[in-house]
Amino acid sequence: MEDKLSQQSKLEFENLVEETSHFVRTTFVSRHKKFDEFFRELLENAERSLNDMFVRTYGMLYMQNSEVFQDLFAELKRYYTGGNVNLEEMLNDFWARLLERMFQLINPQYHFSEDYLECVSKYTDQLKPFGDVPRKLKVQVTRAFIAARTFVQGLTVGREVANRVSKVSPTPGCIRALMKMLYCPYCRGLPTVKPCNNYCLNVMKGCLANQADLDTEWNLFIDAMLLVAERLEGPFNIESVMDPIDVKISEAIMNMQENSMQVSAKVFQGCGQPKPAPALRSSRSVPENFNTRFRPYIPEERPTTAAGTSLDRLVTDIKEKLKLSKKFWSTLPYTICKDERVTAGPSVEEDCWNGHTKARYLPEIMNDGLTNQINNPEVDVDITRPDTFIRQQIMALRVMTNKLKNAYNGNDVNFQDTSDESSGSGSGSGCTDDICPTEFDFVTTEAPPVDSDRREVEASATQPGCSLQTLLLIFLSLLLQRQWR
């Protein structure tokens, strides 16, 4: 009978802990699922929006070079899912490849070898053919993706730790104390008398001593998650970066078009005069290849928000739930002992089971944690042997907290050494002394000013032979340079 009651006590205790921790476990499970769904859909929407707009704007020219953009999104997805991707290097590679493709499109009268195009890509930083867009986008994308990936990793770690710790393995001393508290009243002929609340607290504090030790690191982890959540709502908002990414890349392409003469002249000067293309290709003029001016969507045509929500609403919801999960492990004994199925309740101090009889429970309540159980009157706890499994969860939380702190400061824990401090860009960019600006002046990219648009319209209207003039000017400048030499 005693063995059966021991097993029953153990089972009831395990069920109580699992039931009580249901809220914190489902918080991380459901919010991780929702955030992951939102992020993946956001990336898909951004890629689809760029593809639709570029097909409409540039037609066959884009379709022939679409793998450059497809690779960009593929690498962003791979980074998000935990791939070993250096965002800064990947973005640099994207702009270098785009420069190579565009350089060929604006100079169709020439044939470029692989070696020549490699030389062209080396001029990306020097010439800034895409204006300031690559630098700004690099800062925005790296910080936003670092924060988003680390945040979803944090939700994963919180979910795993909560799931593992809520599956308790009570010690023999704990099981004896549980049986005494739950079933000894039956032996004394008091089957309807429930345990005193304070009595229950000492039993639970002894049984859950190691779980309580998790609380300090758990609270630091939750605080770090809340800080990164604030970044996601503000300067590291992934939605404000990805939603208009098609507009930003097109802005860079427009900049390259406008400066094509200067870019080509400088490249020819540095890389040498390229070989003429075959007669069939050289007869094609630039406008037939690449003269389309992009016009951005009106707001009503922008894609709808991902996963039926916005990042701000999603993060606000997650923050509220995270705050409720603070101090969860140290308050777990109190939550269990408030359950009317378990104890007589805090208001009933005289007519409750105190471990010996129906009377007030007199011993003092122990403090939280393993070391404070040395004098626990109800549970025999070996304070010299911390639970190694719980210590592993503490370490997992500590590692994740450090990652979150890095993400809060705009740094990728895996690629901090690759930052470009001089330009304030890259995976470890722009933050000094653990301080980051609270907002950027380039969170959104506006449409070009009206005056500049008007000048372009007028120029295109008055220069029907623009491409021919461009080619003649480049040709004359090269002749002059040759004569000067």
Side-chain angles (χ1 to χ4, degrees):
M1 178 60 73
E2 192 171 325
D3 287 342
K4 286 182 179 179
L5 291 175
S6 291
Q7 286 302 312
Q8 184 64 25
S9 301
K10 177 178 180 292
L11 185 62
E12 285 186 31
F13 171 68
E14 289 170 349
N15 289 339
L16 277 169
V17 173
E18 195 156 345
E19 283 178 28
T20 309
S21 62
H22 180 262
F23 165 77
V24 74
R25 287 184 290 112
T26 54
T27 289
F28 282 93
V29 170
S30 61
R31 269 56 192 180
H32 173 272
K33 182 181 178 182
K34 190 69 174 176
F35 191 90
D36 183 65
E37 178 188 7
F38 172 86
F39 196 97
R40 289 173 186 272
E41 198 169 315
L42 184 68
L43 285 179
E44 289 170 7
N45 284 352
E47 184 173 12
R48 184 167 55 250
S49 176
L50 183 143
N51 184 72
D52 292 346
M53 186 257 283
F54 275 39
V55 166
R56 207 163 53 240
T57 307
Y58 303 119
M60 187 58 68
L61 288 175
Y62 164 71
M63 294 166 72
Q64 290 169 346
N65 297 278
S66 60
E67 76 275 4
V68 175
F69 303 93
Q70 290 167 1
D71 290 348
L72 168 67
F73 283 97
E75 287 297 283
L76 289 174
K77 289 173 188 173
R78 193 162 74 86
Y79 173 84
Y80 169 70
T81 54
N84 188 25
V85 178
N86 186 317
L87 286 174
E88 183 175 341
E89 290 180 3
M90 184 272 290
L91 289 167
N92 287 342
D93 182 59
F94 164 74
W95 292 111
R97 288 178 67 194
L98 187 58
L99 174 60
E100 289 179 13
R101 299 297 178 94
M102 290 223 22
F103 193 75
Q104 294 176 81
L105 291 172
I106 63 174
N107 294 287
Q109 69 276 26
Y110 295 111
H111 169 73
F112 300 101
S113 65
E114 289 297 321
D115 290 340
Y116 196 99
L117 290 174
E118 191 174 335
C119 178
V120 172
S121 66
K122 290 177 181 176
Y123 279 80
T124 310
D125 291 336
Q126 182 183 332
L127 296 176
K128 296 195 185 323
F130 300 112
D132 207 29
V133 174
R135 185 191 67 80
K136 289 179 177 180
L137 198 59
K138 187 194 294 184
V139 174
Q140 290 178 296
V141 167
T142 52
R143 289 177 175 175
F145 267 77
I146 288 164
R149 180 172 88 158
T150 310
F151 191 71
V152 82
Q153 285 178 346
L155 291 171
T156 303
V157 169
R159 178 190 68 191
E160 295 303 315
V161 169
N163 281 336
R164 289 167 182 164
V165 177
S166 62
K167 289 177 172 58
V168 293
S169 298
T171 63
C174 168
I175 294 171
R176 282 195 299 273
L178 288 167
M179 185 178 65
K180 180 182 175 185
M181 181 182 82
L182 296 172
Y183 289 105
C184 276
Y186 290 81
C187 304
R188 296 292 176 90
L190 303 169
T192 60
V193 179
K194 293 182 179 179
C196 299
N197 188 71
N198 290 352
Y199 174 31
C200 173
L201 284 174
N202 274 343
V203 172
M204 292 301 163
K205 288 198 175 198
C207 289
L208 297 168
N210 285 286
Q211 278 75 6
D213 282 346
L214 187 78
D215 214 48
T216 301
E217 204 61 52
W218 176 265
N219 293 337
L220 291 172
F221 160 71
I222 296 296
D223 287 338
M225 286 287 289
L226 291 170
L227 285 174
V228 174
E230 288 177 11
R231 286 288 198 231
L232 288 171
E233 289 178 310
F236 298 179
N237 188 312
I238 192 73
E239 192 170 26
S240 69
V241 173
M242 292 309 298
D243 191 36
I245 197 168
D246 49 5
V247 179
K248 294 175 183 179
I249 293 175
S250 191
E251 181 187 325
I253 291 173
M254 287 189 288
N255 199 82
M256 171 79 178
Q257 289 175 264
E258 290 163 4
N259 298 300
S260 58
M261 284 175 54
Q262 301 94 308
V263 170
S264 297
K266 288 180 180 177
V267 169
F268 292 160
Q269 188 176 357
C271 298
Q273 184 68 21
K275 294 178 181 179
L280 179 65
R281 193 174 173 196
S282 62
S283 65
R284 291 155 63 188
S285 63
V286 174
E288 291 170 28
N289 284 270
F290 202 80
N291 72 334
T292 313
R293 177 74 182 183
F294 163 68
R295 288 288 177 270
Y297 286 125
I298 59 172
E300 289 76 15
E301 291 176 327
R302 298 299 302 174
T304 55
T305 53
T309 186
S310 70
L311 184 68
D312 287 342
R313 286 200 297 272
L314 186 58
V315 171
T316 299
D317 171 65
I318 294 173
K319 280 168 62 180
E320 289 173 359
K321 298 297 188 294
L322 288 175
K323 288 174 184 175
L324 292 174
S325 69
K326 278 195 76 173
K327 299 183 179 179
F328 174 78
W329 303 104
S330 61
T331 58
L332 187 55
Y334 295 88
T335 308
I336 291 173
C337 293
K338 277 194 293 188
D339 192 328
E340 61 182 15
R341 295 173 301 171
V342 180
T343 69
S347 59
V348 183
E349 295 184 356
E350 303 293 339
D351 298 330
C352 54
W353 171 252
N354 66 6
H356 303 282
T357 187
K358 181 182 175 181
R360 179 186 289 267
Y361 182 76
L362 297 175
E364 64 174 327
I365 301 171
M366 298 293 101
N367 289 324
D368 303 322
L370 186 65
T371 57
N372 290 316
Q373 306 312 309
I374 189 169
N375 294 317
N376 191 310
E378 309 305 334
V379 187
D380 183 17
V381 181
D382 185 354
I383 66 166
T384 65
R385 298 183 65 182
D387 189 312
T388 54
F389 179 74
I390 296 293
R391 292 303 177 271
Q392 288 171 358
Q393 307 314 306
I394 289 172
M395 186 55 64
L397 289 171
R398 191 168 296 159
V399 169
M400 192 65 242
T401 300
N402 286 332
K403 282 189 177 184
L404 290 161
K405 287 177 180 177
N406 275 296
Y408 175 76
N409 292 318
N411 301 323
D412 195 331
V413 70
N414 298 320
F415 301 116
Q416 288 182 69
D417 296 335
T418 64
S419 62
D420 179 3
E421 293 177 4
S422 61
S423 67
S425 63
S427 299
S429 59
C431 301
T432 57
D433 301 323
D434 291 336
I435 298 172
C436 261
T438 55
E439 61 180 285
F440 303 135
D441 60 352
F442 47 79
V443 170
T444 57
T445 302
E446 297 178 358
V450 173
D451 289 341
S452 65
D453 272 350
R454 191 177 296 123
R455 281 196 297 272
E456 285 162 357
V457 171
E458 289 170 358
S460 62
T462 57
Q463 295 180 348
C466 178
S467 62
L468 187 58
Q469 289 180 2
T470 300
L471 295 175
L472 285 170
L473 282 169
I474 293 172
F475 181 68
L476 287 170
S477 67
L478 288 170
L479 281 175
L480 289 170
Q481 287 168 13
R482 199 166 290 161
Q483 287 177 349
W484 180 257
R485 291 199 189 103

